[in-house]
Amino acid sequence: MKFENFRFETDAEGIAVATWDMPGRSMNVITPQVMEELAAIVETVANDTAIKGCIITSGKETFSGGADLTMLQGLGAEYARLARTEGEEKAVAHFFAQSRKLSQLYRRLETCGKPFAAAIHGVCLGGAFELALACHFRVVSDADVTRVGLPEIKVGLFPGAGGTQRVARLMQTADALQMLFKGEQIRPLMARNMGLVHAVAPRDKIVETAKEWLRAGGSAVAPWDEKGFKNPSGRVYSPAGMQVWPAANAIYRRETHDNYPAAKAILQAVYEGLQLPMDLALEVESRYFAKILRSKEAAAMIRTLFVSMQELNKGARRPADVPPAKLRRVGVLGAGFMGAGIAYVTALAGMEVVLIDQSVEAAEKGKAHSHKLMSDQIMKGRARTADRDALLARITATDDYALLKDCDLVIEAVFEDPKVKAEVIARAEAAMRPRAIFASNTSTLPITGLAGHSQRPKQFIGIHFFSPVEKMMLVEVILGRKTGSRALAVALDYVRAIRKTPIVVNDARGFYANRCVMAYVREGHRMLLEGVPPAMIENVARMAGMPVGPLSLNDEVALDLALKILKATKAQVGPEAIDPEQEELLVELVEKRGRLGRKNGKGFYDYPEGGKKRLWPGLAELQKTKLDPDTIDIAELKQRFLVVQALEAARAVEEKVITDPREADVGSILGFGFAPFTGGTLSYIDGMGVAAFVDLAKALAKKHGERFKPCRLLMRMAREHTSFYASSADKPARRKAA
Ligand code: NAD
């Protein structure tokens, strides 16, 4: 067989090296053709008596990101077609046979009688790491970029080509489950400590290390196929097993609230698989995999968290006619909470930063934030002292606006006060090059209004970060009425350079993410006023899939800020734009009781020094009525949390604040953690069906008020039986990896 995706060579010693190097791609990916060629390699090695064993390595800068998810999505489409034409039973049988082909190929490699080794440099994830796990020996390079792992859970899937079974036979069950649940990318030394790989070597020695293993008589039998193999944690039905499984079940419930079928399938596949010999165990895993692959959650998560996110990262919204900008130097105005974070992520991406505050001391204080963050990285072994020194050398802390003269982009993060903003815009523009772009990080002031203070409104744009800047992966890029396409292109190039995900939104109060967040927090306030016990509010929000309860979230954002925004909205839009009872609640907390949130140690929670936060007992006093918890409909509370946010997202689409459903969905998960298993705010509506969503919203409106009233856009979509993705170009993705 002639190989297109591999180079296959056997040396004088009889050691074959299969170098995976797909033409025309920057990264190797598992496709049907790769599987075919790999199968041929396995048979050649197995049957050619001159070949002693085989090493699989990559000819690229990195190993492989895994399987082509479009291949898996294609299987789903094929299943639907067969179900229609040949019936459900035939469709399922076909789907099962197809979806386990990779697993069978790896098992054949593992049991073909000849030893296989994987020599890995760069990332080796998902299906590619499952290939390595099926090899009898694994060596990884010690390079900074090398990572192994099984991240499938992050897109609603799980490792279905033997990953769950091999990992669970390599390490203690509890550790294996944790690895499979978290889906983290693991560094070389950690991988060796965990028993995932056998050796770590310099990059140019990995193939040689694998050869040495082969020369020394590397075994062609996997540990679990040896006679007398024992699972590292012993048998499932044993006193040790009983230490693990009840706890694993409880942890699964606590972490997922049963919202993630893939996580449950991991538990089931490992629990059942560990009681069976390998071949049967792999069949069990395959059955769960086929089921999960057809789940609504996997489809939604793959679309949003893989396909759409990748498209946005690659510049789906970038004006194509503007040449890419290579940003060298960026100015940051205001070295406070946000400015310090923006300076750090910018310098981390290799750009020079001019960090300006009112005094050199204030600017230095902002720069010290970078010192702290880098020191934390050094402590964790993720950076070297030299990296910290180099990063700090890129940041100039100053009070001198003249230093902005060489900046390609200037981002302001000064006080949220229109007067202060107007002043810094004027001072910065006086120093900046005429073609440089000015961006504001404001969270509440309209970009169009701020651009009014600019001499060049075409070059004025919003770049809205979320806090903490170094952790939050979303950035909203906001277009003012006069913002030009070059400003948009530069802003997107900048966001790409700092490796965050951009969504482009039009200028409107709260932009996109914050208006949904405010609706969520307000729902929590409403429940409190209705008499729902505060602990129940917080727990039910997490059961609905939100990462933090609305009261905790409000404490983090600060209660006085929430009240300030409410008052500003009332003054600017009118009293009907706000909820008077919510205002009363916040006035009581902030103005009468001095409870500002986490920042002063008291908000909805108390934050005792050195102790764990707990709900403030005084909340009971603020509740005029108290509901009997046993009479509360939990399912309805959960729905209220998600529906109220999804409605806000739909309104943002109706008002053309958001123009692309991919951005609404990606933005909702990355920006405020909207229940990821739904695929995001609009996927939640689409997944339920717009008509069913409208009925639900109407029922909630009848019971709980106007805020649940579906907007006109939704009513029309329900009548026309359409959906957000059907009405947008829901193009299939080009390439996807798991
Ligand atoms: P902050 O008060 O922590 O920092 C503001 C900084 O600006 C201070 O260090 C102050 O000394 C400096 N400053 C004021 N006037 C200045 C001037 N004339 N020249 C230079 N520096 C000046 O505030 P923050 O929380 O960092 O917020 C900054 C901006 O970011 C605001 O527009 C805010 O709306 C926005 N924002 C905040 C958050 C958040 O979570 N805090 C999130 C997104 C956006």
Side-chain angles (χ1 to χ4, degrees):
M1 180 174 186
K2 194 173 164 330
F3 300 119
E4 265 183 37
N5 297 296
F6 291 88
R7 288 192 296 280
F8 186 72
E9 289 148 348
T10 309
D11 67 14
E13 290 178 278
I15 297 176
V17 178
T19 308
W20 189 6
D21 196 354
M22 298 173 82
R25 285 186 188 257
S26 58
M27 169 112 76
N28 293 319
V29 58
I30 299 163
T31 61
Q33 204 191 345
V34 166
M35 286 165 65
E36 226 175 85
E37 292 182 18
L38 194 57
I41 288 171
V42 172
E43 294 317 318
T44 307
V45 174
N47 297 318
D48 187 337
T49 46
I51 299 179
K52 289 203 185 78
C54 178
I55 298 163
I56 302 177
T57 193
S58 163
K60 303 216 182 282
E61 271 308 297
T62 193
F63 194 84
S64 163
D68 183 347
L69 288 189
T70 33
M71 172 173 88
L72 301 180
Q73 277 183 327
L75 277 181
E78 172 80 357
Y79 164 79
R81 192 186 60 73
L82 273 179
R84 265 196 319 274
T85 54
E86 313 252 326
E88 180 79 16
E89 207 173 307
K90 273 225 169 99
V92 169
H94 175 80
F95 189 80
F96 177 62
Q98 293 298 316
S99 63
R100 68 176 309 212
K101 274 194 161 164
L102 194 62
S103 178
Q104 287 172 321
L105 166 60
Y106 291 171
R107 183 60 177 156
R108 169 68 187 141
L109 179 151
E110 187 174 61
T111 55
C112 77
K114 293 274 176 74
F116 271 81
I120 299 162
H121 166 75
V123 296
C124 176
L125 301 174
F129 190 54
E130 290 184 289
L131 165 64
L133 286 170
C135 290
H136 307 94
F137 181 78
R138 293 170 287 284
V139 50
V140 293
S141 84
D142 58 6
D144 262 357
V145 292
T146 295
R147 297 279 189 286
V148 298
L150 299 170
E152 288 88 339
I153 191 77
K154 296 194 169 163
V155 288
L157 290 175
F158 73 92
T164 65
Q165 300 309 311
R166 293 192 177 94
V167 164
R169 283 164 176 76
L170 279 173
M171 59 181 85
Q172 297 284 326
T173 307
D175 297 336
L177 290 174
Q178 204 174 47
M179 172 183 165
L180 295 164
F181 279 162
K182 284 193 173 165
E184 279 175 349
Q185 301 190 10
I186 301 161
R187 288 160 188 268
L189 287 178
M190 180 60 110
R192 193 181 60 191
N193 292 343
M194 290 168 80
L196 285 171
V197 303
H198 302 90
V200 180
R203 181 184 180 180
D204 56 357
K205 294 274 176 355
I206 50 174
V207 172
E208 188 48 37
T209 307
K211 282 189 178 175
E212 274 164 24
W213 172 77
L214 278 171
R215 281 187 207 114
S219 167
V221 181
W224 34 89
D225 291 322
E226 298 275 8
K227 224 173 162 251
F229 170 73
K230 286 197 174 62
N231 293 324
S233 287
R235 288 184 306 116
V236 169
Y237 279 92
S238 66
M242 287 309 110
Q243 299 276 333
V244 172
W245 287 100
N249 221 355
I251 293 168
Y252 157 76
R253 286 263 159 193
R254 187 190 67 196
E255 297 298 316
T256 69
H257 299 287
D258 215 16
N259 286 324
Y260 294 86
K264 191 177 194 162
I266 287 174
L267 268 189
Q268 291 169 310
V270 173
Y271 176 76
E272 292 170 28
L274 282 182
Q275 300 176 56
L276 298 168
M278 195 59 165
D279 287 300
L280 264 181
L282 289 171
E283 190 171 336
V284 166
E285 181 197 66
S286 293
R287 292 212 180 272
Y288 282 114
F289 185 64
K291 182 172 155 203
I292 294 307
L293 202 50
R294 288 181 298 138
S295 70
K296 186 164 113 177
E297 289 80 0
M301 289 177 78
I302 290 172
R303 181 170 68 191
T304 300
L305 291 171
F306 191 82
V307 182
S308 301
M309 205 161 105
Q310 206 167 63
E311 287 170 356
L312 297 179
N313 287 343
K314 283 187 180 161
R317 293 293 308 279
R318 191 185 182 285
D321 53 346
V322 183
K326 175 101 183 72
L327 297 156
R328 224 173 36 80
R329 180 175 288 197
V330 173
V332 178
L333 307 180
F337 181 60
M338 294 302 284
I342 298 169
Y344 170 73
V345 296
T346 308
L348 191 65
M351 287 171 268
E352 284 179 30
V353 177
V354 177
L355 179 59
I356 296 185
D357 209 297
Q358 300 180 84
S359 65
V360 177
E361 295 75 56
E364 284 291 353
K365 199 168 154 225
K367 181 173 170 177
H369 181 61
S370 288
H371 187 282
K372 181 180 179 303
L373 291 176
M374 282 304 283
S375 302
D376 291 348
Q377 292 295 312
I378 294 169
M379 291 279 285
K380 288 181 189 151
R382 294 186 188 157
R384 287 178 283 256
T385 317
D387 301 327
R388 181 180 64 197
D389 294 347
L391 183 139
L392 292 174
R394 286 194 288 276
I395 304 176
T396 307
T398 178
D399 60 354
D400 183 3
Y401 278 70
L403 296 188
L404 296 176
K405 71 176 174 15
D406 294 327
C407 291
D408 309 295
L409 167 72
V410 173
I411 305 170
E412 74 77 15
V414 298
F415 298 140
E416 190 75 336
D417 174 337
K419 273 202 227 92
V420 180
K421 301 260 191 215
E423 185 202 314
V424 302
I425 292 167
R427 285 184 72 186
E429 285 188 354
M432 284 160 63
R433 278 201 308 254
R435 277 176 62 78
I437 304 297
F438 190 98
S440 173
N441 177 48
T442 177
S443 5
T444 59
L445 304 169
I447 293 300
T448 306
L450 289 177
H453 303 291
S454 167
Q455 298 298 315
R456 31 204 197 213
K458 270 178 86 169
Q459 285 155 240
F460 197 101
I461 195 161
I463 298 185
H464 182 224
F465 286 86
F466 294 82
S467 87
V469 177
E470 63 278 5
K471 287 221 179 90
M472 297 295 287
M473 293 315 291
L474 186 74
V475 174
E476 282 178 323
V477 173
I478 297 124
L479 300 175
R481 205 173 298 138
K482 295 190 180 160
T483 303
S485 57
R486 201 172 62 80
L488 173 60
V490 170
L492 291 177
D493 289 342
Y494 167 72
V495 176
R496 186 174 190 168
I498 58 170
R499 293 191 204 91
K500 298 203 184 278
T501 299
I503 62 171
V504 180
V505 303
N506 286 313
D507 201 9
R509 186 173 296 279
F511 310 128
Y512 167 63
N514 280 351
R515 64 190 273 183
C516 297
V517 171
M518 283 188 303
Y520 170 60
V521 169
R522 174 185 173 188
E523 208 49 35
H525 294 166
R526 292 283 350 156
M527 287 177 190
L528 191 72
L529 294 166
E530 283 163 26
V532 179
M536 190 182 250
I537 298 173
E538 297 287 87
N539 288 336
V540 171
R542 283 192 300 267
M543 285 163 68
M546 298 302 292
V548 279
L551 307 180
S552 290
L553 182 62
N554 201 173
D555 271 5
E556 296 299 328
V557 174
L559 270 50
D560 55 331
L561 181 64
L563 180 59
K564 196 174 147 200
I565 294 173
L566 213 62
K567 284 183 170 173
T569 309
K570 188 172 164 188
Q572 288 157 20
V573 188
E576 67 290 347
I578 65 148
D579 179 342
E581 288 183 39
Q582 185 190 20
E583 186 184 16
E584 227 174 85
L585 172 69
L586 286 171
V587 166
E588 177 73 32
L589 284 162
V590 174
E591 292 177 2
K592 303 208 177 127
R593 315 245 181 174
R595 303 193 73 88
L596 310 183
R598 181 191 276 279
K599 67 179 178 187
N600 79 337
K602 42 188 191 171
F604 287 105
Y605 285 77
D606 279 326
Y607 300 84
E609 222 163 287
K612 259 178 86 172
K613 72 175 185 180
R614 41 163 210 269
L615 280 156
W616 175 46
L619 287 177
E621 266 173 57
L622 306 186
Q623 293 185 295
K624 290 189 192 108
T625 44
K626 287 191 189 59
L627 298 174
D628 171 1
D630 288 335
T631 64
I632 297 173
D633 181 349
I634 303 277
E636 188 189 277
L637 292 189
K638 281 177 20 183
Q639 282 171 337
R640 280 171 63 182
F641 278 130
L642 299 191
V643 170
V644 85
Q645 296 178 76
L647 278 168
E648 204 53 43
R651 286 182 201 118
V653 173
E654 180 173 77
E655 294 160 22
K656 301 204 165 39
V657 175
I658 285 276
T659 53
D660 184 328
R662 294 175 297 181
E663 295 183 303
D665 276 343
V666 171
S668 69
I669 297 181
L670 296 193
F672 49 98
F674 184 85
F677 65 90
T678 63
T681 43
L682 299 185
S683 283
Y684 173 64
I685 300 177
D686 273 8
M688 192 183 299
V690 179
F693 180 83
V694 164
D695 287 346
L696 175 61
K698 280 184 181 163
L700 289 172
K702 216 163 164 189
K703 222 165 144 188
H704 298 287
E706 286 283 289
R707 66 187 182 283
F708 285 104
K709 211 173 130 199
C711 59
R712 275 212 293 274
L713 170 72
L714 283 172
M715 306 280 273
R716 199 190 71 222
M717 288 172 67
R719 272 196 313 277
E720 294 172 358
H721 304 287
T722 180
S723 66
F724 286 101
Y725 280 88
S727 49
S728 80
D730 187 12
K731 346 176 224 31
R734 286 171 295 277
R735 190 195 77 74
K736 313 152 172 198

